[in-house]
Amino acid sequence: MATTTAQRPVPAERATLIARLGAAWQGLLAAGLALAAWGMSQATWAQRDGLRLVAVALIGLGALSSLLAAGLMLRRNRRGRLLGLALNYVLAIGCLLSLLGTLGVYTGLDEVANRFYPRAWLLIGVLAGFLIASSGDRFADAPRVQAAYHRTGRWVMIGSVVVLALSMGALQGLVTLLLGLRQPVALALLAGASLFGAAFWLLWRPQTARAFGAGERDAVAISGYLFIAPNLLGFLLFFAGPLLFSLYLSFTNSDGFRAEFVGPRNYATIFSLEVVRLESSSQRASEVLSPGFVELNRIGNLVIGARDRLFWIALWNTVVYCFWVTILSVVPALLIATILNSKIPGMTFFRAIYFIPSIAGVVGVAVIWKWLYNSNIGFLNYGINQVLGVINLLPGVELGPVNIPWLASQQTALASIIIMAAWQLLGFNTILFLAGLQGIPNDVYEAATIDGAGAWQRFRSITLPLLGPTTFFVVTTTLITTLQVFSEPFVMTPPPGGGPNNATLTSVLYLYQRGFNRFEQGYAAAVAWVLFLFIFAVTIVQFRMQRRYGEM
Amino acid sequence: MNRRLPWMISLLAAMSLVLAACGGAPAAQPTTAPAEPATAAPAPTAAPTAAPTAAPTAAAPTGEQITLRWRTRPDNQAEIDVYQTISNDLDAEFDNVTLVYEPGGSETASYQDVLKTELSAGTAPDVFWIPGTDIADFATRGLILNLRELADADSDYRDADFYPGPMFHLTFNPETGKTGETLWGLPRDVSTFVLYLNLDLLEQAGAPDPRELAREGKWDWDAFVETAVAVNNLGGDIKGFGMNAWWANPGLFINSAGGSFFNEERTACALDTDEAVEGVAFTSRLYNELKVAVPYGEDSEPPFLAGNVGMFLNGRWATPGMRSGARFNWDVVEVPAGPDGARSWLFWGAYVVNANTKHPQESWELIRALTRADVQGKISELGANIPSRVSDEAIDAFLTFTPPENNQAFINLLKNDPAVEGPLWAGSWPEFDKAMGDKITAVLNGDLSIADYRATVCDEANLAFK
């Protein structure tokens, strides 16, 4: 793919012509995009003002970039060519993807999955063909036999794919595709994809590169960007784009269907707190708090009121959950990893056993634990009562049966979920620690042993310091994972989750409830950004601590 | 082997998949232009005044083949099968219309949340079911069609064919505050709360038969408590009573005490009235003083099905589970009479039409067909609900769908002025539900006294009103 400069130079007149043609195209493109941006700014998109603004801004940016590219090209500046290449590439891909959307390919993918599953066995033909063709390589000394094998294998493979395609309705799809192309929008998109694709190719070819004085470095850079383009576009389209859009949403009152810009009101609501003194402890908080505020907490006669009480409750629960799950899934993991690192027979089996919870789906595990925790028919209370029954056999001991409402009591619900989550994370952390332990050279331990260090001293003075980077990684990933907890309380507590009385309400669950249960996507986006900043701050603190720890 | 061959095969396969996808998009690719969508196009920029309405002239031209997608929230495979059969039968009846039934909801995906996301993305089905409490939210946001014009043009249609409670809300005009002016959908079914009884446990406890007491007019809160205590005294894991953590359950006792969630205008919280508090206090007594109930917040159905609970409060939709899961003698009885009598809930849900449908006339015809007596009969036979039509024939047919033997209990409660499940036109129901649910849960778990409950319950709940 890399173009080469070790070719004869383009005559100056021709180079100038190429540059002017390129500039003219980019200028035309800039004008078209500017017109499109203007048209879009005048159009009314019912309830989609935010999206419209974003689209206008993006198209406007494209127009400006194209204008800049045109100017640079006129001066035969190689950066103009690079910018033109990027713009035409993005537009060609954009047209192509939009065309697929217009033709209904994306909504049809579900149906493709449905049709593919019962016919997947036809792919055996491809495998068979591949094996036949590969077998031919054994007959290198008999070219005709080898060619026959290759030919047979190739046709078996092609035949299998064709049969699969036909049975999945590819022919019908082709007809639909051709009929779909009769739509003006589809035709325009197809023309756009072809035009921008052609412009990209013309700008990319070696002769154009030489006309702009592009060197080997440019060729390498273009090749590199083309390789990462699918991933980069995916990142921009499905991650960075929605991320920025959610930032915009957080400044609106969007309900998912329409949005009005409200400035920082959502953030102000989240952080609205007030502290008021009660005249007596029996006085109602609502009598002294400002309208719209409700009691969050009370210290003596001081009442803390909040406009959004649940946000703070959720944040507190999340912090408590994060703290305990991290402790309970990291410390035991280190101890277990140390044991599993020993050369005792059967350790491989135990390593697998400890890892199993980590590969199980959170929802499935949560459903199972929900049953285990059931106070009436759950195994946990049953097991405890069986143990108590055995203890009661001792003379003078008479312990009554327990009936702990694990998930139904405010006092035990969060702890119950913490235990389950720690159990599930334990195995993964153990494996990470195990990998870290196996990276510590044995001779360090041997030297310490010769110097008279005991097991505990070796662990404290060698294992722990040398496991520092692993520990940092384990703690950081566990913290980030736990701060985003959602599925466990959502599945394990009655709808809409987070009960009893908000005891297991976590930040992500809360933003989900605001966004989806209560049609408040703008507010939910604001909660998400506050949570993001919180996680970011925690991670920064950790990095600093790690750096200091590493320097010690 | 030619190294390009695998690439060529992969490319061929990818192209095939794309082509197959082109032919596989059922609803997104109408081969002909949509029929006069202008009148049905959503213009919901300002709810509720701009709630979309559907004109009766929007039928598809003769010969045009259209696809209508419709969705319900079934609880189990049996229910999915019944709806699929109904869809197939109606599909055969409809000319030029292909019906695609989509069961919605799962263990981890809330039915309404998925629906809202699809509505926002423009990929929701043409017709879907929503619970009665959601009608206001969907209507005021312009997500569902006002079908009044279509109904007026349909000579066979009458609002009075359905129970008046649901129709009050389904014909409510939030702009004028009057009922009878709009039509947001048609009720699919109705249900009342009853007590499911484990007759074996009751007999074992020596408790009188609640069904007999109900017939004699003696089935009241005192008798209910006595029965629950008697069963609970069997000891071990046995509990006298169970109900799930859902607004309707404590709400039943509030209603029976003469209270209500809202004031009469449904514009403010009324949970702190004497009657409403009495209902919560009675419920709290079951949990905290007598300790005869499965902890509030735990699903009571599994322990009931396991034979560990004497009485389980639930609606008709629990019947299929009882039929398949209960391994003991069971039946149902009316809810016990409180100070205001035996006031159950009248639950309902409605078929509504997506505001963005390209086929309002066909969608209307579909929901008319789905609420026909014979179609409702098929669903009722499954045991999950009661027909929403006011019809002696429908009730007579419903009574034959046994077990439970005492189906009459559902009907008795239906006739005894039940409190109608309804949306909150003047506020946010999810917000009110959340505020109320938290406080009641705290009371029933023993974390909040009745006095503190009364003092604070409406502080946050009132914020839900606009």
Side-chain angles (χ1 to χ4, degrees):
Chain A
M1 179 173 286
T3 54
T4 173
T5 53
Q7 294 171 21
R8 63 190 168 86
V10 179
E13 282 174 19
R14 191 170 178 79
T16 307
L17 180 66
I18 289 174
R20 282 181 183 166
L21 281 174
W25 168 249
Q26 291 304 138
L28 201 66
L29 188 58
L33 289 174
L35 198 67
W38 179 80
M40 198 162 281
S41 70
Q42 301 302 306
T44 306
W45 288 13
Q47 310 157 18
R48 305 280 177 180
D49 256 9
L51 279 178
R52 185 170 63 93
L53 283 175
V54 171
V56 169
L58 283 175
I59 296 173
L61 187 68
L64 285 175
S65 305
S66 193
L67 201 62
L68 180 66
L72 291 169
M73 279 181 180
L74 274 179
R75 286 188 279 161
R76 286 176 60 187
N77 186 317
R78 61 184 184 81
R79 288 198 180 86
R81 174 180 166 258
L82 289 177
L83 196 54
L85 274 171
L87 278 170
N88 285 292
Y89 178 81
V90 168
L91 287 169
I93 296 292
C95 285
L96 192 64
L97 294 178
S98 305
L99 177 64
L100 293 178
T102 307
L103 295 173
V105 170
Y106 305 132
T107 45
L109 284 176
D110 283 346
E111 187 57 24
V112 169
N114 291 339
R115 291 181 193 173
F116 178 74
Y117 181 68
R119 299 169 179 85
W121 61 271
L122 284 168
L123 287 176
I124 293 172
V126 177
L127 180 66
F130 179 79
L131 292 175
I132 292 168
S134 302
S135 307
D137 293 343
R138 290 185 302 164
F139 303 98
D141 50 345
R144 292 183 64 182
V145 177
Q146 188 183 40
Y149 266 95
H150 285 172
R151 199 164 43 245
T152 310
R154 180 164 66 238
W155 285 110
V156 168
M157 275 195 271
I158 291 171
S160 301
V161 173
V162 168
V163 170
L164 177 68
L166 289 177
S167 67
M168 284 180 64
L171 208 57
Q172 182 198 347
L174 184 64
V175 174
T176 311
L177 181 87
L178 294 174
L179 287 173
L181 285 175
R182 291 186 309 177
Q183 299 173 61
V185 177
L187 263 183
L189 288 169
L190 182 63
S194 310
L195 204 60
F196 295 125
F200 174 80
W201 180 77
L202 288 169
L203 280 172
W204 173 72
R205 62 194 191 130
Q207 194 184 16
T208 315
R210 290 199 302 278
F212 283 96
E216 189 70 31
R217 207 172 139 199
D218 276 8
V220 171
I222 291 169
S223 301
Y225 281 122
L226 281 175
F227 273 119
I228 64 164
N231 202 327
L232 189 66
L233 283 178
F235 172 81
L236 291 173
L237 206 61
F238 298 113
F239 188 80
L243 201 70
L244 290 176
F245 186 64
S246 82
L247 183 63
Y248 162 76
L249 273 187
S250 73
F251 291 99
T252 69
N253 64 356
S254 168
D255 62 356
F257 304 97
R258 53 178 167 256
E260 285 169 20
F261 191 76
V262 294
R265 193 173 76 189
N266 292 330
Y267 292 96
T269 304
I270 289 171
F271 290 111
S272 287
L273 293 168
E274 69 175 17
V275 181
V276 185
R277 183 177 292 280
L278 295 172
E279 289 171 11
S280 68
S281 58
S282 60
Q283 191 180 14
R284 284 178 61 184
S286 58
E287 291 172 12
V288 291
L289 289 169
S290 304
F293 282 78
V294 285
E295 182 178 340
L296 173 64
N297 211 338
R298 181 183 291 230
I299 306 160
N301 276 2
L302 283 180
V303 168
I304 303 169
R307 270 195 193 282
D308 186 358
R309 183 177 69 96
L310 294 179
F311 169 80
W312 296 102
I313 291 174
L315 189 63
W316 173 250
N317 288 342
T318 306
V319 170
V320 171
Y321 173 88
C322 171
F323 176 80
W324 282 112
V325 173
T326 305
I327 298 271
L328 293 176
S329 69
V330 171
V331 178
L334 178 59
L335 299 177
I336 293 169
T338 310
I339 296 166
L340 292 179
N341 196 33
S342 55
K343 290 185 171 54
I344 301 170
M347 276 301 132
T348 313
F349 172 75
F350 282 105
R351 285 173 197 169
I353 289 287
Y354 278 107
F355 196 62
I356 284 175
S358 303
I359 55 171
V362 177
V363 172
V365 168
V367 169
I368 290 169
W369 276 80
K370 185 177 163 182
W371 291 114
L372 291 176
Y373 277 134
N374 189 291
S375 69
N376 191 276
I377 54 171
F379 275 109
L380 207 57
N381 277 351
Y382 175 79
I384 292 171
N385 284 325
Q386 292 302 307
V387 172
L388 289 177
V390 173
I391 294 172
N392 281 342
L393 293 176
L394 296 171
V397 180
E398 196 172 339
L399 300 170
V402 296
N403 191 21
I404 304 167
W406 294 98
L407 291 169
S409 162
Q410 242 173 276
Q411 284 71 39
T412 53
L414 188 60
S416 305
I417 293 177
I418 286 170
I419 291 168
M420 189 219 84
W423 170 82
Q424 200 182 17
L425 282 171
L426 188 69
F428 186 65
N429 289 347
T430 302
I431 295 299
L432 291 176
F433 275 125
L434 195 57
L437 286 171
Q438 290 176 350
I440 299 174
N442 249 340
D443 45 5
V444 182
Y445 287 111
E446 284 165 8
T449 308
I450 291 166
D451 287 344
W456 169 244
Q457 278 179 307
R458 286 200 301 274
F459 180 76
R460 202 189 62 184
S461 305
I462 298 173
T463 308
L464 278 182
L466 291 180
L467 266 184
T470 309
T471 310
F472 172 71
F473 179 76
V474 168
V475 171
T476 305
T477 51
T478 307
L479 274 177
I480 292 173
T481 306
T482 51
L483 283 171
Q484 297 176 47
V485 56
F486 169 79
S487 305
E488 291 87 346
F490 182 69
V491 174
M492 294 173 79
T493 58
N501 194 18
N502 303 312
T504 61
L505 184 68
T506 59
S507 294
V508 179
L509 180 57
Y510 178 57
L511 78 88
Y512 170 80
Q513 289 178 356
R514 292 297 291 245
F516 289 90
N517 296 153
R518 286 165 61 171
F519 283 106
E520 294 173 346
Q521 304 235 325
Y523 193 86
V527 173
W529 274 93
V530 173
L531 183 65
F532 162 75
L533 292 175
F534 183 73
I535 295 176
F536 189 69
V538 169
T539 313
I540 291 281
V541 169
Q542 265 190 292
F543 264 105
R544 297 217 161 176
M545 285 173 64
Q546 163 70 6
R547 202 171 294 159
R548 187 181 298 174
Y549 179 75
E551 285 167 359
M552 279 167 66
Chain B
M1 188 173 59
N2 189 342
R3 284 184 182 181
R4 283 186 302 177
L5 187 59
W7 288 104
M8 286 170 56
I9 296 294
S10 304
L11 194 65
L12 188 63
M15 291 290 290
S16 305
L17 289 178
V18 170
L19 285 176
C22 281
Q29 283 293 298
T31 49
T32 52
E36 298 180 35
T39 50
T45 47
T49 49
T53 56
T57 52
T62 311
E64 180 193 349
Q65 187 65 36
I66 64 163
T67 300
L68 280 187
R69 292 161 58 214
W70 68 287
R71 184 181 296 176
T72 64
R73 186 183 65 185
D75 286 332
N76 48 51
Q77 189 58 44
E79 211 171 321
I80 292 173
D81 293 343
V82 168
Y83 282 115
Q84 187 61 60
T85 306
I86 287 169
S87 187
N88 295 343
D89 293 349
L90 292 180
D91 186 87
E93 285 179 26
F94 280 38
D95 290 335
N96 304 324
V97 175
T98 303
L99 294 181
V100 178
Y101 171 64
E102 302 171 355
S106 69
E107 182 85 38
T108 54
S110 159
Y111 175 82
Q112 283 103 314
D113 296 349
V114 172
L115 195 56
K116 287 173 194 172
T117 309
E118 290 185 352
L119 284 165
S120 182
T123 57
D126 300 275
V127 170
F128 47 86
W129 172 91
I130 51 174
T133 46
D134 284 6
I135 292 291
D137 252 349
F138 280 66
T140 54
R141 285 183 164 80
L143 307 180
I144 53 177
L145 276 184
N146 176 4
L147 303 164
R148 177 49 69 191
E149 281 185 51
L150 290 168
D152 288 346
D154 188 337
S155 56
D156 293 335
Y157 172 77
R158 289 186 315 139
D159 286 353
D161 286 341
F162 300 92
Y163 282 102
M167 292 315 287
F168 175 90
H169 292 288
L170 281 171
T171 61
F172 186 83
N173 184 344
E175 198 184 344
T176 61
K178 290 179 184 168
T179 191
E181 295 184 344
T182 61
L183 187 63
W184 301 113
L186 296 182
R188 180 189 69 174
D189 55 2
V190 295
S191 182
T192 50
F193 255 166
V194 291
L195 279 167
Y196 286 84
L197 303 171
N198 181 331
L199 298 173
D200 293 348
L201 273 186
L202 293 178
E203 190 182 344
Q204 208 180 327
D209 189 332
R211 296 169 299 179
E212 289 298 325
L213 293 175
R215 276 181 212 116
E216 294 163 9
K218 294 175 183 172
W219 183 234
D220 55 17
W221 279 6
D222 290 337
F224 168 66
V225 166
E226 282 171 26
T227 308
V229 169
V231 173
N232 207 68
N233 285 343
L234 290 171
D237 293 328
I238 305 299
K239 288 287 175 190
F241 168 69
M243 66 181 191
N244 291 339
W246 182 44
W247 57 265
N249 291 284
L252 175 96
F253 294 103
I254 291 173
N255 293 338
S256 295
S260 172
F261 290 168
F262 316 115
N263 63 3
E264 250 181 73
E265 296 78 31
R266 297 172 76 89
T267 53
C269 166
L271 290 163
D272 55 359
T273 62
D274 289 343
E275 295 83 359
V277 171
E278 186 182 354
V280 175
F282 173 76
T283 319
S284 172
R285 194 170 153 234
L286 298 171
Y287 283 86
N288 298 315
E289 186 187 323
L290 301 170
K291 298 186 189 304
V292 295
V294 175
Y296 190 69
E298 281 196 357
D299 189 350
S300 292
E301 192 164 354
F304 180 79
L305 288 174
N308 286 358
V309 178
M311 296 175 284
F312 172 49
L313 183 64
N314 214 331
R316 179 68 185 184
W317 54 86
T319 295
M322 299 298 163
R323 287 179 181 172
S324 60
R327 298 287 175 267
F328 47 82
N329 288 314
W330 65 276
D331 203 351
V332 296
V333 68
E334 290 89 339
V335 294
D340 200 42
R343 291 202 63 211
S344 185
W345 284 105
L346 174 61
F347 297 106
W348 58 281
Y351 289 116
V352 295
V353 176
N354 184 348
N356 278 324
T357 183
K358 293 186 171 75
H359 312 291
Q361 178 65 38
E362 289 79 6
S363 297
W364 164 251
E365 283 165 15
L366 174 60
I367 66 170
R368 288 276 287 130
L370 288 169
T371 51
R372 266 179 1 213
D374 60 317
V375 174
Q376 291 195 330
K378 286 177 192 168
I379 299 168
S380 294
E381 196 168 358
L382 189 72
N385 47 36
I386 305 167
S388 61
R389 285 181 169 271
V390 184
S391 146
D392 288 339
E393 279 174 39
I395 289 175
D396 289 346
F398 168 77
L399 292 174
T400 63
F401 301 145
T402 55
E405 291 305 317
N406 192 19
N407 271 328
Q408 187 64 44
F410 289 99
I411 304 303
N412 289 346
L413 290 167
L414 205 57
K415 293 174 178 171
N416 195 30
D417 188 24
V420 180
E421 170 191 12
L424 200 52
W425 293 98
S428 163
W429 164 253
E431 199 174 337
F432 183 89
D433 180 25
K434 173 83 180 146
M436 171 180 71
D438 288 347
K439 291 289 181 191
I440 289 179
T441 300
V443 170
L444 300 189
N445 284 348
D447 296 315
L448 187 68
S449 70
I450 288 293
D452 286 342
Y453 166 81
R454 180 199 286 268
T456 59
V457 67
C458 284
D459 289 350
E460 203 163 344
N462 268 330
L463 297 178
F465 295 91
K466 291 166 190 164

